[in-house]
């Protein structure tokens, strides 16, 4: 059974994980309580929980290519497209799925093969380095179309996955 | 600069190298947290490791049951590229576990290391005598997505290969290296994606696949394997070694019985060199 790591801001939701609809009990839903402010730090903490989870379950076989996908979801939970994404399973070891690749849109979940999700989530916090500057100043000052691209914080995380040479698919 | 040093692998000649290496890295970096992870044999035990690191910050000690490494080990199959190369994958497993310890410490303290050095217990390290880069660069943090001391060098069959005695990494590159045991390249059930080549080429391929940069100008540490047959050579200083130490092959030419005898004389578990007694 795959898992959904549900990032709970603060801790208030207690053991109530009913915020992830559309899944019909097909996944374990695991709360990740965190007070971290930045989405990157919250996803990183979810990655640490995911690592413990698959280690503890002894599901960690490097020589096992097909594994149930995992999802990291955060508030606000816009998970209506998740069932569509799940139909893409089984995924390859380097594949991730997000609701959209449109960098202007916010997203609230990332689904993928556990190996790909682990690599992404445990390294994404470096995006703090960019601060509010995105793209870099050098690009902003050029007379180039890139300077007009807008990015949501979440889409920066998609860029990071692509930067790692992972395959990221957006739903149509 | 916050530095973490991972000493990991088989303990082997750690009891010969430890004094030198602790002194060398203390001289190079301030504020080092040491992470020690080896297979659990008779060469060291928890108490001896804590003694070794007295006066240093020992952040984590893992003495690992070899059974915890789950991939098949078969030297003949490794040489035919038909199973997992133990020299690469078992070290990847130890780094994976030490990486968890590192991230937990970073979370508890709220700061990440920006300089992570992966070294072996059976190697001694010196400042390079030839000028590969600036001595100052050696003491500065790398770009967070860069590594130093390993690069990409074509080998005799046109593959790439790197040395596996030391890697220095920036913050994110270090996390990626600790996650190579979870390499996402493995898909579709084709073992070849993971068993290609040897420990040197596998280690070269990984940073290339993750687009990790190589900082040649920040590379400047020389490394020498210390085999058990080096034990009686001249005493070492931080600045020089006995030239005979550069010979790491005589050890392999000793008979099986002789190698076991040398190990036992030095208190090294023969298991550290895959010698069955």
């Amino acid at each position: 059974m795959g898992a959904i790591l549900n990032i709970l801001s603060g801790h208030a939701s207690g053991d109530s994980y009913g915020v992830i609809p559309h899944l019909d009990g097909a996944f374990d839903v695991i709360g990740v309580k965190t007070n971290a402010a930045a989405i990157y730090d919250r996803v990183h903490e979810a990655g640490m929980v995911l690592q413990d989870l698959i280690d503890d379950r002894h599901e960690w076989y490097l020589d096992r290519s097909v594994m149930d996908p995992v999802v990291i979801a955060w508030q606000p939970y816009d998970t209506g497209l998740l069932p569509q994404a799940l139909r893409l399973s089984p995924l390859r070891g380097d594949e991730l799925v997000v609701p959209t690749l449109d960098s202007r849109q916010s997203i609230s979940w990332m689904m993928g093969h556990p190996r790909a999700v682990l690599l992404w989530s445990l390294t994404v916090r470096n995006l703090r380095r960019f601060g509010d500057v995105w793209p870099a100043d050098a690009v902003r000052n050029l007379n180039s179309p890139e300077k007009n691209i807008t990015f949501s914080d979440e889409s920066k995380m998609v860029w990071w996955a692509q930067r790692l040479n992972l395959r990221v698919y957006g739903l149509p | 600069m916050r530095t973490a040093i991972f000493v990991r692998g088989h303990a082997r000649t750690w009891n010969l190298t430890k004094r030198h290496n602790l002194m060398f890295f203390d001289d190079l970096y301030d504020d080092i947290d040491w992470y020690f992870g080896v297979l659990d044999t008779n060469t060291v035990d928890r108490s001896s490791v804590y003694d070794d690191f007295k006066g240093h910050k020992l952040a984590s000690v893992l003495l690992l049951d070899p059974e915890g490494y789950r991939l098949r080990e078969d030297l003949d199959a490794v040489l035919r590229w038909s199973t997992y190369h133990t020299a690469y994958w078992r070290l990847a497993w130890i780094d994976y576990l030490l990486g968890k310890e590192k991230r937990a410490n970073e979370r508890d303290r709220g700061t990440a290391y920006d300089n992570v050095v992966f070294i072996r217990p059976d190697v001694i390290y010196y400042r390079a005598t030839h000028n590969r880069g600036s001595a100052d660069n050696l003491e500065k943090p790398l770009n967070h997505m860069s590594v130093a001391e390993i690069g990409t060098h074509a080998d005799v069959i046109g593959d790439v290969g790197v040395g596996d005695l030391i890697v220095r990494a920036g913050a994110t590159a270090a996390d990626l290296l600790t996650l190579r045991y979870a390499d996402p390249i493995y898909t579709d059930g084709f073992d070849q994606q993971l068993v290609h080549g040897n420990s040197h080429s596998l280690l070269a391929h990984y940073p290339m696949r993750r687009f990790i940069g190589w900082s040649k100008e920040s590379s400047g540490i020389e490394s020498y394997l210390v085999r058990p047959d080096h034990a009686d050579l001249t005493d070492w200083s931080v600045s020089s070694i006995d030239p005979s130490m550069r010979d790491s092959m005589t050890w392999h030419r000793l008979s099986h019985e002789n190698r076991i005898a040398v190990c036992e004389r030095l208190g090294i578990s023969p298991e550290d060199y895959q010698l069955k007694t």
Side-chain angles (χ1 to χ4, degrees):
Chain A
M1 176 180 280
I4 292 183
L5 290 107
N6 174 14
I7 299 176
L8 303 169
S9 295
H11 53 47
S13 302
D15 293 324
S16 171
Y17 303 135
V19 289
I20 305 286
H22 313 299
L23 293 170
D24 302 327
F27 275 61
D28 288 342
V29 179
I30 296 153
V32 179
K33 299 177 182 179
T34 171
N35 289 314
I39 182 65
Y40 317 124
D41 293 326
R42 294 157 67 196
V43 168
H44 183 263
E45 289 196 27
M48 293 179 74
V49 172
L50 172 64
Q51 190 174 24
D52 285 339
L53 179 74
I54 56 182
D55 284 349
D56 292 346
R57 286 182 174 179
H58 301 292
E59 289 183 351
W60 191 239
Y61 302 104
L62 184 66
D63 51 350
R64 183 175 164 199
S65 61
V66 177
M67 295 175 71
D68 291 332
V70 296
V71 181
I72 294 181
W74 53 91
Q75 295 164 325
Y77 303 104
D78 184 3
T79 53
L81 292 175
L82 202 45
Q84 188 180 337
L86 292 171
R87 284 199 288 275
L88 299 174
S89 184
L91 296 168
R92 294 159 54 105
D94 58 351
E95 289 181 325
L96 296 165
V97 183
V98 290
T100 178
L101 290 174
D102 183 340
S103 65
R104 293 164 299 190
Q105 304 293 319
S106 288
I107 59 173
S108 64
W109 53 266
M110 173 76 85
M111 186 191 92
H113 190 285
R115 273 197 283 275
V117 173
L118 204 59
L119 201 74
W120 166 75
S121 59
L122 287 178
T123 55
V124 76
R125 65 180 169 172
N126 78 84
L127 288 173
R128 285 179 303 181
R129 295 165 191 277
F130 289 94
D132 296 327
V133 181
W134 183 275
D137 280 339
V139 177
R140 282 180 187 277
N141 295 331
L142 291 174
N143 183 23
S144 66
E146 287 88 345
K147 73 177 183 179
N148 295 321
I149 296 174
T150 57
F151 292 85
S152 68
D153 283 348
E154 293 81 9
S155 73
K156 295 173 189 173
M157 296 196 292
V158 174
W159 171 82
W160 178 249
Q162 293 166 329
R163 166 70 182 80
L164 291 178
N165 203 17
L166 298 172
R167 299 160 190 255
V168 190
Y169 306 116
L171 294 173
Chain B
M1 183 163 77
R2 288 193 55 80
T3 298
I5 298 183
F6 286 19
V7 185
R8 79 283 193 257
H10 285 100
R12 293 187 173 177
T13 50
W14 166 248
N15 288 319
L16 301 175
T17 65
K18 60 192 179 188
R19 191 176 65 85
H20 169 92
N21 285 340
L22 289 168
M23 195 189 318
F24 172 73
F25 285 105
D26 270 351
D27 182 54
L28 200 55
Y29 301 122
D30 296 327
D31 197 21
I32 301 171
D33 285 350
W34 292 85
Y35 291 77
F36 191 87
V38 296
L39 298 182
D40 192 8
T41 65
N42 293 327
T43 307
V44 298
D45 58 32
R46 191 164 292 276
S47 162
S48 72
V49 174
Y50 278 101
D51 280 346
D52 294 342
F53 283 91
K54 259 184 195 151
H56 303 270
K57 283 197 285 183
L58 186 56
S60 179
V61 179
L62 298 180
L63 303 179
L64 299 163
D65 180 352
E67 295 297 315
Y69 174 71
R70 306 175 76 103
L71 299 179
R72 189 163 65 101
E73 297 179 58
D74 179 336
L75 181 59
D76 289 338
V78 162
L79 295 176
R80 294 194 307 273
W81 294 10
S82 62
T83 194
Y84 306 95
H85 200 296
T86 312
Y88 176 79
W89 286 108
R90 191 160 51 196
L91 201 57
W93 170 62
I94 299 174
D95 283 341
Y96 176 82
L97 298 174
L98 287 176
K100 286 181 75 171
E101 302 280 310
K102 177 182 85 75
R103 277 186 289 280
N105 282 346
E106 289 174 329
R107 177 191 54 199
D108 295 345
R109 285 200 306 244
T111 57
Y113 299 104
D114 49 7
N115 183 43
V116 182
V117 188
F118 299 79
I119 66 172
R120 287 172 45 162
D122 61 339
V123 172
I124 50 173
Y125 300 93
Y126 291 92
R127 280 183 185 272
T129 50
H130 52 291
N131 185 23
R132 277 189 294 180
S134 154
D136 289 347
N137 286 341
L138 204 57
E139 298 169 20
K140 293 176 185 168
L142 296 164
N143 176 290
H144 77 103
M145 272 295 278
S146 287
V147 291
E149 307 302 340
I150 59 171
T152 51
H153 308 285
D155 66 14
V156 291
I157 62 169
D159 201 350
V160 288
V162 294
D164 60 356
L165 303 186
I166 180 170
V167 184
R168 187 161 80 94
T172 311
D175 275 327
L176 287 166
L177 284 169
T178 66
L179 291 168
R180 69 191 190 282
Y181 189 56
D183 195 334
I185 191 69
Y186 180 56
T187 62
D188 309 323
F190 293 123
D191 283 349
Q192 292 92 332
Q193 292 162 320
L194 293 179
V195 303
H196 167 85
N198 54 48
S199 58
H200 303 278
S201 56
L202 285 163
L203 184 58
H205 285 208
Y206 184 80
M208 296 167 79
R209 282 202 295 272
R210 303 277 81 86
F211 302 144
I212 295 172
W214 170 39
S215 179
K216 182 180 181 182
E217 63 277 9
S218 297
S219 302
I221 297 177
E222 283 189 53
S223 321
Y224 296 99
L225 276 165
V226 177
R227 300 296 195 192
D229 60 318
H230 296 150
D232 299 327
L233 296 176
T234 185
D235 59 344
W236 317 322
S237 71
V238 171
S239 59
S240 67
I241 62 165
D242 187 312
S244 308
M245 304 268 304
R246 297 196 167 104
D247 164 30
S248 64
M249 294 309 294
T250 298
W251 169 248
H252 293 293
R253 290 192 284 269
L254 297 178
S255 70
H256 186 92
E257 292 72 21
N258 273 348
R259 279 183 284 163
I260 289 176
V262 174
C263 283
E264 289 179 343
R265 178 170 66 83
L266 296 170
I268 296 170
S269 170
E271 292 170 52
D272 287 355
Y273 286 97
Q274 292 82 46
L275 297 167
K276 293 199 171 76
T277 52

